[in-house]
Amino acid sequence: MHSRLRAALLAPVLLAWVASADLDVYVDGALSSGWENWSWNTNINFAATDLYEGLSSLSATSDAWAALSLKLEGLFNTYAGFQFDFAGDPSAVQLYFQGTTDNAQSASVPLTAFAGLSSTKFTTVIIDFNALPPSGAPLGSGAWDRLNFQALANGATYHIDNIRFLTSITIEPLFLSAEPIGNDLIAITTQGNVDLSTVKVKLNNATVAISKTTTYSPIDTPSKTITYFTLSKSFAAGSLVITAGTNTSFTYTLPAVRYGTINVSNTKSISPDIYGVNWPTSASYIQHLGVTISRWGGNAVTAYNPFGDFTNAGNDWYFENRASDGGKADDWLGWVSGAGSKTVLAVPALDWVSKDATSYSFPKSIYPNQAKFDPYNADAGNGLSANGSWVSPPPDPTRVYTPWNTTLAKKWLSGLIHKPDIVNIDNEIEIASSTHQDMHPIYPKRVVNENGLSPINYDEELKRVVDFATAAKEALPNVKVAAPSSCSWWFYWTSMVGWSDTTAHNNMDFLPWFLQQMKAKETATGKRLLDYLDIHYYFQPDTSANDAAAKALRLRMTRSLWDPGYVDESWVSDNPQNHQPNNKAVWLLPRMKQLIDQYYPGTKLSIGEWASTADGDVTGGLVTADALGIFGRYGLDGATYWATPDEKGPVGLAYWLYRGYGTYFGSKSVQVNMADYNIDNIFGLYAGVEDGKVSLVFINKNTSPLAFYISNVPTGNYFVRHFGGASGNAKWQTTTNLKANTYTVIPAYTAIFMKQA
């Protein structure tokens, strides 16, 4: 491989495709022929002149998660790439492609993947369909016919111009990065046919010989290549200069060593169920990432009708019925378990489920003055007036739903061919009067049943959990129950009714009260109905700006999972509103375990939903890797990421780091001690052991390299894989001989896995 690259010299590579001419999408004032505007919740000016090239530009202002969406009457799958001029905040927008005939969707491309974008001037962006940023994965074959510029959580305003698909892309041979890794490796990423023989290394002004080279191209990102250069001597603090080609150099100041130790004799078991996701996409996805448990969950499962496979996403999408996104639950359970993953199935626990795939709760013909209507169904509204209040009178639930109860739940569960390992009792039902307002309205005179007089309170939530947990255990005697799946920190401690509900229950915060009541049920009946205290946890600090400060905050907020001294940098510390000790700190895992020990010993702890806050950014991947390590260290019993990480994106790479392709982090957590307590803001180290083999995960959250002497780490041969840093988001891996553990380098923004061979 090395000699072939040398022989190719530096000639540019021209990719040949079927298309014979570039395909314009938008130029100066209008969409080109064959293109349609399929945008939603977006104000568009196709002839903007406040910032433009040529005669005009397209300006767009999108609500949160809305998009400038353009559909071709034909396909663009034969083109080599995509080009556009952009002016706006890149942290507010992502791009993805769709195929409307087969519902295919590409990985999202965050515009932060492109350097130099700003709101004051146009910058040309070119995307190679052989290497979608940031992962470098190919777009792949498909019936692609739609493109979407989607705003993120805070909405977006931007200008865009000269949008076109390209027939060919010339790849310039470049040395993209060169970084020190581990004890004596230089990892060099390249594009095109470069001359690797030009690479030279100096450590503290002395030339270091290269004893070995190994080139690796990930199987699912073949456009990216990394070459590992093994040096003839180990790294040391000081200057490191790597030169390549005719005028490319990479310079580092290797820092003073920091100290730590591992104690392999002090271990505790790691639950394999912490490596879970919601809604895996395929059996190969489960196997590639090593997913151990998969959840059928989310807002739409509350209305899932298993006798027709209909559902309704409620407030997430205009209270419209539709066919179940996951298909038939029984089939889903079958293929997921067949792929080697355990399963979690959410069982509806309100009084209604969808009756068909077409009805909706707030038709314009009945409620004409609603704030918004579905851009694809102009008669379906969002149920809100312009002032934000719910429209009145409340909708007739029989227009959209059919009754649901424990008898029907038992009929469904007992008839399943494929049995779930765990059932959730619904999903975040404490906020049903918002998310599913049409089936559990807040109107005081609206009598649906004996429970439907107000937002769900302590007593109603408990009753629904008890009733449906009883039904589940009668239908499936071996199933475990996880509840109440509370949506967030606020609702761990109170209900939608508010603090008057807490007061009415002896000022006892909700989760402690819930555990106490479930223990009392077992005492009274002799049957355990709750096996897992299940919560959803979303980090509360605002990192939406995604600038340097926001990224640093994102990377240190994982301390909220374990650190009693970390005051949460969000509203949590400003307005604690609970009766718990140390209530300005989340201190999630130890806190919840203490509550379990106090109120219902023997109950396990699971987190049914959690997320990184930035799935498309490398810092989101580092947060995920850090959290997975923390879950193992602090004895969490189960966790499923919300929702489905992109297999080739930063979050998916964190799962691959620990579990990918059959190489796993150790099943027992090893004690780690660092000399510098405050290092947790910028670094994480997790150690495991299995069958006598030590595994390590190093996470550098810093913007410059870090170096460590970790005592008691065995020397010898290791399998190594990593992602992040200047080498980017891809599945990089190699083998190395750890000659000494006295100076190990971790590049900036990088996670590294090492396992004894």
Side-chain angles (χ1 to χ4, degrees), residues 258-261 673-679:
R258 298 171 185 252
Y259 296 93
T261 186
N673 294 308
M674 299 301 298
D676 180 1
Y677 174 79
N678 294 321
I679 202 171

Side-chain angles (χ1 to χ4, degrees), residues 537 539 556-566 582 585-591 626-627 629-631 633-634 677 679-681 683 686 701:
Y537 184 65
F539 296 105
R556 67 178 177 266
M557 72 189 179
T558 54
R559 290 174 58 191
S560 69
L561 293 170
W562 64 272
D563 188 351
Y566 178 67
N582 192 21
V586 172
W587 190 38
L588 187 74
L589 301 181
R591 183 188 296 280
D626 202 21
I630 291 167
F631 292 167
R633 176 176 294 169
Y634 286 89
Y677 174 79
I679 202 171
D680 295 296
N681 280 342
F683 177 70
Y686 302 96
K701 312 178 198 179

Side-chain angles (χ1 to χ4, degrees), residues 528-652:
R528 176 180 273 272
L529 295 177
L530 182 72
D531 300 287
Y532 291 81
L533 175 65
D534 186 62
I535 57 175
H536 296 173
Y537 184 65
Y538 290 97
F539 296 105
Q540 294 303 305
D542 181 5
T543 62
S544 58
N546 208 41
D547 55 14
K551 290 180 180 183
L553 172 56
R554 179 179 300 128
L555 289 165
R556 67 178 177 266
M557 72 189 179
T558 54
R559 290 174 58 191
S560 69
L561 293 170
W562 64 272
D563 188 351
Y566 178 67
V567 176
D568 208 69
E569 298 172 78
S570 73
W571 64 268
V572 167
S573 60
D574 296 334
N575 187 20
Q577 293 284 351
N578 62 64
H579 302 91
Q580 300 302 302
N582 192 21
N583 62 8
K584 290 191 175 184
V586 172
W587 190 38
L588 187 74
L589 301 181
R591 183 188 296 280
M592 291 299 159
K593 284 181 166 288
Q594 284 188 7
L595 291 177
I596 288 170
D597 290 344
Q598 182 175 356
Y599 293 105
Y600 198 1
T603 305
K604 294 183 177 182
L605 175 64
S606 61
I607 301 177
E609 292 182 14
W610 67 283
S612 74
T613 78
D615 285 15
D617 191 272
V618 66
T619 58
L622 298 178
V623 163
T624 305
D626 202 21
L628 292 174
I630 291 167
F631 292 167
R633 176 176 294 169
Y634 286 89
L636 183 65
D637 297 296
T640 47
Y641 194 91
W642 182 264
T644 312
D646 175 6
E647 181 180 339
K648 303 175 187 68
V651 173

Side-chain angles (χ1 to χ4, degrees), residues 214-236:
T214 304
T215 297
Y216 179 75
S217 295
I219 189 170
D220 50 7
T221 49
S223 62
K224 283 195 169 186
T225 298
I226 194 166
T227 299
Y228 296 96
F229 291 76
T230 302
L231 304 183
S232 60
K233 64 181 294 185
S234 298
F235 295 124

Side-chain angles (χ1 to χ4, degrees), residues 145-408:
D145 61 359
R146 184 180 182 184
L147 63 96
N148 302 281
F149 289 92
Q150 185 179 40
L152 299 180
N154 293 325
T157 296
Y158 54 90
H159 290 73
I160 194 165
D161 205 350
N162 300 320
I163 309 171
R164 61 176 53 92
F165 288 88
L166 305 175
T167 58
S168 62
I169 295 175
T170 300
I171 299 178
E172 180 184 4
L174 289 174
F175 290 92
L176 301 175
S177 69
E179 292 183 297
I181 286 184
N183 190 214
D184 58 2
L185 290 178
I186 301 291
I188 297 183
T189 51
T190 59
Q191 72 174 27
N193 291 325
V194 300
D195 185 355
L196 295 173
S197 69
T198 63
V199 173
K200 308 294 180 187
V201 179
K202 284 189 174 183
L203 180 61
N204 292 323
N205 299 316
T207 298
V208 180
I210 296 167
S211 62
K212 177 184 175 183
T213 62
T214 304
T215 297
Y216 179 75
S217 295
I219 189 170
D220 50 7
T221 49
S223 62
K224 283 195 169 186
T225 298
I226 194 166
T227 299
Y228 296 96
F229 291 76
T230 302
L231 304 183
S232 60
K233 64 181 294 185
S234 298
F235 295 124
S239 67
L240 176 69
V241 179
I242 306 154
T243 57
T246 56
N247 57 1
T248 303
S249 65
F250 306 90
T251 302
Y252 297 94
T253 299
L254 299 185
V257 70
R258 298 171 185 252
Y259 296 93
T261 186
I262 65 171
N263 183 358
V264 180
S265 64
N266 189 344
T267 65
K268 58 184 177 182
S269 294
I270 296 173
S271 169
D273 296 342
I274 62 174
Y275 305 106
V277 303
N278 283 261
W279 301 108
T281 57
S282 65
S284 61
Y285 178 99
I286 289 170
Q287 292 154 2
H288 291 173
L289 298 188
V291 173
T292 54
I293 189 165
S294 303
R295 178 174 177 259
W296 169 289
N299 286 340
V301 301
T302 293
Y304 175 66
N305 182 344
F307 303 116
D309 301 309
F310 314 125
T311 193
N312 185 305
N315 200 20
D316 286 350
W317 194 259
Y318 299 95
F319 299 92
E320 295 177 43
N321 283 353
R322 65 192 192 206
S324 167
D325 297 331
K328 189 177 184 67
D330 203 353
D331 294 343
W332 183 89
L333 291 166
W335 75 256
V336 169
S337 59
S341 171
K342 294 172 69 174
T343 55
V344 182
L345 177 68
V347 176
L350 295 182
D351 301 315
W352 306 93
V353 292
S354 297
K355 71 176 185 180
D356 57 32
T358 57
S359 301
Y360 42 94
S361 290
F362 297 101
K364 190 173 186 178
S365 55
I366 298 176
Y367 304 102
N369 299 315
Q370 298 180 66
K372 289 183 180 179
F373 294 90
D374 181 352
Y376 305 110
N377 181 357
D379 193 47
N382 69 349
L384 293 172
S385 302
N387 64 5
S389 64
W390 293 106
V391 297
S392 185
D396 178 1
T398 62
R399 182 184 303 122
V400 177
Y401 301 111
T402 186
W404 179 255
N405 52 44
T406 55
T407 300
L408 292 170

